Amino acid sequence: MISMNEAVDRVISRAHPLPQESVAFVDAVDRVVAEDFVAPRPHPPFAASVMDGYAVRSADCPGVMTLIGASRAGAPMRGAGNTSIQPGQCAYITTGAPLPPGADAVVPSEDCRVDGGTVSIDANVDAGKWVRPVGFDIKAGETLVPAGSLVGAHEVGIVAAAGGGEICVHKKPKLALLSTGDELAEAGEVEPDASSGRIYDANRPMLAALAKTSGVDDVLDLGRAADEPGALASLVAGARAEGCDVLVTSGA
């Protein structure tokens, strides 16, 4: 007889990681990450405004600037050659929009006075004010989901934000379940006669349910084995022939 801890150690020492495969990140929920997922690009990939207002050159503030265009989320400033903010110029900008080249700060709309094609700003403005710089949330090359992580909704969101299409995970295990003992009867069958000394098998259905809630979809139910070495050996051999990665046996 060996202790429980020694038995667990023996099992773990013989366990090996399952093979790897790349899957779409939306299909990776409840899978274990096999290789670090590294950000392929920064987020945001451009300097972005965190306010609705006006993109300016901080050196021009305070002052009166000429409004030359607009930069909106998903629609950077373009057209008529007005793609860069020059001294004395500014552009309207929305939250999340790219900061136009030449600008280095954003002034919220409530702090500006607009008169036709000019914008007046009365206060000094620091460079970088109300601007989210490149890579503020995620840096290129940053490890976002380490190997060994269990993928959930949080990890899916991170991979999506980084622009990842696939993630490398371990294949799901194929699990075999086997109950042993002459005393076991299948739940749902005719109630065992008290004189038979039999009881219902509760462990196998419970373990099947636990496997399902743990993300294991491929479960082979080997049923019940009588207390006879040949019967047990035959079922174990069947599990191996089916390519099962894990075999769990139990009594009642």
Side-chain angles (χ1 to χ4, degrees), residues 9 12 25 48 53-54 56 66 91 96-98 108 114 123 130 136 140 142 152 165 184 189 209 223 232 235 242:
D9 288 343
I12 293 177
F25 71 92
Y54 293 85
V56 302
T66 301
V114 182
W130 300 116
F136 181 79
E142 180 181 353
L184 297 180
E189 292 180 351
L232 181 60
L235 289 170
E242 290 289 335

Side-chain angles (χ1 to χ4, degrees), residues 79-205:
N82 296 329
T83 58
S84 179
I85 303 297
Q86 303 298 321
Q89 298 178 338
C90 70
Y92 178 72
I93 193 166
T94 63
T95 302
L99 193 70
D104 64 358
V106 172
V107 180
S109 296
E110 55 267 31
D111 295 333
C112 302
R113 296 193 315 277
V114 182
D115 183 10
T118 64
V119 178
S120 298
I121 297 170
D122 295 332
N124 290 319
V125 177
D126 295 329
K129 187 68 173 178
W130 300 116
V131 174
R132 190 167 54 142
V134 173
F136 181 79
D137 297 319
I138 298 172
K139 295 176 175 58
E142 180 181 353
T143 297
L144 300 179
V145 185
S149 301
L150 182 66
V151 178
H154 176 71
E155 288 73 20
V156 168
I158 290 176
V159 174
E166 293 187 335
I167 188 168
C168 185
V169 296
H170 291 289
K171 289 186 175 182
K172 287 188 174 184
K174 182 171 184 177
L175 173 67
L177 297 176
L178 172 63
S179 294
T180 62
D182 292 334
E183 77 281 11
L184 297 180
E186 194 75 17
E189 292 180 351
V190 177
E191 183 176 352
D193 186 273
S195 63
S196 69
R198 301 179 72 201
I199 58 174
Y200 288 123
D201 179 6
N203 281 355
R204 199 169 87 257

